[in-house]
Amino acid sequence: MTALSGKRILLVIGGGIAAYKSLDLIRRLRERGASVRCILTNGAQAFITPLAASALTGQRSHTDLFDREDEADIGHIKLARDADLIVVAPATANLMAKMAGGHADDLASTVLLATTLPILIAPAMNVRMWLHPATQRNLKTLQADGVHVVGPNDGAMAEAEFGPGRMAEPLEIAAAVERLVAPSGPLAGKHVIVTSGPTHEPIDPVRYIANRSSGKQGHAIARAAAEAGARVTLISGPVTLPDPPGITTVHVESAREMLQAVEQALPADVGIFAAAVADWRVANAGEQKIKKKDGALPNLSLTENPDILATIARRTENRPPLMVGFAAETEHVIEHAKQKLARKGCDLIVANDVSAQTGVMGGDSNTVHLVSTSDVETWPTLSKTDVAKKLVERLGAMIEGGTP
Ligand code: C5P
């Protein structure tokens, strides 16, 4: 048994110089036990031949939408169905734009539009094309559509330029394929919901109430859970961090939107609520921009936001069996965390001191205490990435051990 035994991959090869690496990708996927079928775009055939792809896959390669033999033999709809995953490598700027816009003017784009299979793209293009707002917009659209992305990497490019745009290496793409179709690790097969970042509560259409959360800890947890094999839904308030690769990221602004997104993402095996949700929102938020008037201050009245963690944890139906909350405190950290555990009804609280001198808010390291009903454990100061990995390891062990 190899990692991808019995898995069927449809590899769409786009027209870029990185197409030569896709031939190596075929070998890497087959080494892992997958069967591979290829579609080459017209552009791809300027760089490699269908014959080369067929020789490596051991199967006929496909190129034309209206090929009589193809349609009699397998047909584009069957191509779009008969696989476990579609990999697009290299995903050129043009192919990404076509996918984002729902175009179907050749075999590759038609199959990509007709499919309901998971899709992984490995973008590859000139650095300026990658950084162009149009490509970045298309990337966001594709990610919002649930398309998984691996790379691109930084590096020297064919045109003697340097920067992001190089296709991920075949081994990296093969690893991303494994994570998607044959996840392994302590959270394999589990669905994990993570909330992260601050919320913005509108005062009027241009002003809002916010807090200093950067989302670094929550995003690191989402990444660690995905690396541990979980299918992760990250529900993020407004942050400046990129969406982590291979993770479904849902962007929200306010606490109420965050609660709605969590409810939509359920059911889950684990819920990790790392977001710094605003406790209050403005009850009388203006529909128009509140105008400055001489001497008169606006009268904002606050109302309580829903407590997302408590709302979900207190449910009898659809409650994730393992629920983790965070407690950001500036004093009596452990005592407050214990009270929070009981009040919110979750299974574990990760408590930390966020008083200004600790530099935790927005910083890269964190000193946390794990508080459960039976135990308090203090971890040494670690990077947020390491806190995330250790927490995910612990959750894996708790699930394995049948606790809670
Ligand atoms: O009550 P406090 O804000 O300190 O609780 C922190 C924990 O509760 C965190 O896990 C946070 O994500 C969650 N929380 C929430 N909804 C709120 C407030 C906090 O999910 N409205």
Side-chain angles (χ1 to χ4, degrees), residues 124-267:
M125 66 198 73
N126 169 274
V127 55
R128 280 173 238 278
M129 291 168 79
W130 173 251
L131 295 175
H132 194 285
T135 304
Q136 291 301 310
R137 206 165 46 235
N138 291 334
L139 175 68
K140 284 215 174 74
T141 303
L142 292 172
Q143 282 174 320
D145 290 347
V147 170
H148 304 279
V149 186
V150 55
N153 295 340
D154 271 357
M157 315 213 48
E159 304 86 352
E161 285 186 291
F162 194 88
R166 259 173 81 89
M167 187 166 88
E169 294 304 320
L171 283 176
E172 291 174 280
I173 303 175
V177 170
E178 273 181 33
R179 278 199 298 277
L180 284 169
V181 297
S184 61
L187 295 184
K190 305 287 178 203
H191 179 210
V192 176
I193 296 178
V194 181
T195 69
S196 182
T199 62
H200 285 181
E201 307 298 331
I203 295 172
D204 64 23
V206 293
R207 305 181 180 96
Y208 55 82
I209 299 176
N211 62 62
R212 293 186 193 282
S213 166
S214 63
K216 282 182 185 170
Q217 187 63 81
H219 277 53
I221 291 168
R223 275 200 307 275
E227 276 159 22
R231 176 169 74 81
V232 180
T233 307
L234 171 64
I235 298 163
S236 172
V239 294
T240 54
L241 302 171
D243 292 349
I247 288 175
T248 305
T249 305
V250 182
H251 296 272
V252 296
E253 296 260 333
S254 66
R256 286 185 297 174
E257 283 172 20
M258 189 173 271
L259 174 59
Q260 200 182 13
V262 170
E263 290 189 337
Q264 271 171 12
L266 289 168

Side-chain angles (χ1 to χ4, degrees), residues 195 255 258 272-280 305-311 324-329 340 343-344 346 349-350:
T195 69
M258 189 173 271
I272 306 172
F273 293 74
V277 184
D279 291 317
W280 312 284
N305 261 333
D307 188 314
I308 303 168
L309 173 58
T311 306
V324 183
F326 275 68
E329 303 290 347
K340 206 159 279 183
R343 201 170 62 239
K344 308 241 179 191
C346 57
I349 286 273
V350 182

Side-chain angles (χ1 to χ4, degrees), residues 25-109:
L25 175 61
I26 296 172
R27 294 183 38 218
R28 301 298 178 186
L29 293 172
R30 293 202 66 195
E31 266 168 23
R32 285 163 178 70
S35 68
V36 184
R37 201 194 280 275
C38 285
I39 293 177
L40 282 81
T41 64
N42 279 344
Q45 293 169 67
F47 294 93
I48 59 168
T49 63
L51 187 61
S54 298
L56 289 165
T57 59
Q59 304 198 48
R60 226 167 89 75
S61 296
H62 306 269
T63 52
D64 296 318
L65 182 55
F66 301 114
D67 182 300
R68 222 182 327 135
E69 244 177 72
D70 261 6
E71 281 304 305
D73 171 20
I74 171 154
H76 62 276
I77 297 298
K78 203 152 178 268
L79 269 176
R81 283 193 193 147
D82 269 7
D84 295 290
L85 175 74
I86 301 186
V87 179
V88 185
T92 59
N94 183 46
L95 207 40
M96 283 176 64
K98 282 177 30 172
M99 288 172 75
H103 292 237
D105 63 356
D106 64 359
L107 181 62
S109 54

